[in-house]
Amino acid sequence: MKITLNLSTLVFLLLIISSCKKDNTDPVVIESFPSAIGTEWHYRTTTYETQYDLDNPDKITDTHEYSKLDTIKITRDTIINDIKLRIYESRFTLEARKIEPDGLKSYAFGFKDFPRDMESYSDPYFEVALPLNENSSWIKCNTGNCSYGIKRKALGSEMILFNDSEINCIKVLSAHINENPDDNAIVHRWYSDLGLMKIRTEHEKLEYTDDYGNAIGYIKVIEEKVLVNYIAREE
């Protein structure tokens, strides 16, 4: 059977193809994040442990996998140093944050068992720059707040599966500005308009020992924290 397409049909098909391509390549720009009291993010954190042979570090000898669930919920307002903030509460911790015109910032941190003993930072931690796009970069903290600086830089966009749908996210890399030999982890984060979608932390392969301090092999740990449910609230 011979199929003949006229010129108008061809033009129409080309417009559809062009439109689809444009929709898939539109740059991702995140203007803000949900911040209403009662908003919840439910995460599943999976830890992957891989053990390697002492004499042959490329040979895998054992693997383990652990999972746990956690929830972050905005529970209430608070005032610290005359600044109105919102409390982000997890299973064990409290964090006082505020979304400002240039980004999401953390002003204090504490534990749920000691809510009156939250430690405020001399300068707020710059968690996420806003608006967040594929070219964003910022300094999370400086030597005034921590022993080493942390720079976060967007690497581009990437699709993340959430509730059977793909969401286009900004992928962000964390890197140490100064040398910090105690922590050589590679940390990637993915953000969307819903907030933090995923964290992947890949730790350096390290030697591990028995109860007597004798080296018996190497171990590599990878942690993935993935959003599995989101509950929205309105102001």
Side-chain angles (χ1 to χ4, degrees):
M1 180 177 65
K2 184 177 180 181
I3 299 176
T4 303
L5 298 177
N6 59 35
L7 181 60
S8 61
T9 303
L10 287 173
V11 171
F12 177 71
L13 290 174
L14 288 173
L15 287 173
I16 292 177
I17 294 172
S18 175
S19 175
C20 290
K21 282 185 176 181
K22 183 177 180 181
D23 288 344
N24 291 333
T25 57
D26 281 346
V28 182
V29 179
I30 300 171
E31 299 290 346
S32 189
F33 296 119
S35 60
I37 292 175
T39 303
E40 297 182 25
W41 296 264
H42 298 256
Y43 295 94
R44 175 180 289 108
T45 300
T46 305
T47 301
Y48 305 93
E49 290 184 358
T50 305
Q51 297 176 4
Y52 299 85
D53 185 75
L54 180 63
D55 298 320
N56 183 4
D58 294 326
K59 180 182 177 182
I60 297 175
T61 58
D62 203 356
T63 59
H64 301 279
E65 182 178 321
Y66 316 93
S67 290
K68 64 179 181 179
L69 298 175
D70 196 10
T71 297
I72 295 177
K73 182 177 181 179
I74 304 177
T75 57
R76 57 186 171 87
D77 287 327
T78 190
I79 295 178
I80 297 178
N81 297 329
D82 297 325
I83 301 174
K84 185 178 180 180
L85 307 167
R86 293 212 155 155
I87 296 295
Y88 290 65
E89 183 176 310
S90 69
R91 182 183 303 177
F92 301 111
T93 64
L94 304 171
E95 192 164 6
R97 292 178 165 185
K98 182 179 182 181
I99 295 181
E100 300 183 356
D102 59 345
L104 173 62
K105 298 180 182 179
S106 177
Y107 280 78
F109 178 86
F111 296 94
K112 287 177 66 175
D113 290 342
F114 308 98
R116 297 181 179 274
D117 297 330
M118 292 187 71
E119 178 185 357
S120 59
Y121 305 127
S122 56
D123 295 307
Y125 280 0
F126 204 160
E127 293 291 343
V128 188
L130 293 173
L132 180 63
N133 58 54
E134 298 177 13
N135 299 311
S136 297
S137 64
W138 68 97
I139 305 299
K140 177 191 175 183
C141 64
N142 52 43
T143 53
N145 286 331
C146 51
S147 59
Y148 52 90
I150 297 176
K151 181 177 182 179
R152 290 182 174 173
K153 177 177 175 57
L155 301 179
S157 62
E158 190 171 301
M159 305 301 289
I160 294 291
L161 186 64
F162 175 68
N163 287 347
D164 298 324
S165 299
E166 287 191 329
I167 297 181
N168 207 358
C169 301
I170 298 291
K171 183 179 181 180
V172 174
L173 171 68
S174 291
H176 297 126
I177 297 173
N178 307 316
E179 291 186 5
N180 181 37
D182 295 330
D183 186 356
N184 293 309
I186 299 173
V187 183
H188 291 96
R189 289 173 171 82
W190 288 260
Y191 295 95
S192 78
D193 290 329
L194 300 182
L196 177 64
M197 301 295 296
K198 177 181 176 181
I199 303 177
R200 177 183 168 88
T201 304
E202 184 173 344
H203 297 274
E204 184 182 30
K205 186 188 292 184
L206 298 173
E207 188 178 85
Y208 71 99
T209 63
D210 59 18
D211 294 338
Y212 302 98
N214 301 310
I216 56 176
Y218 295 90
I219 187 169
K220 186 177 183 68
V221 178
I222 296 175
E223 294 177 336
E224 287 192 346
K225 180 177 181 178
V226 180
L227 184 69
V228 294
N229 191 28
Y230 167 76
I231 300 176
R233 294 288 187 267
E234 295 183 1
E235 294 285 358

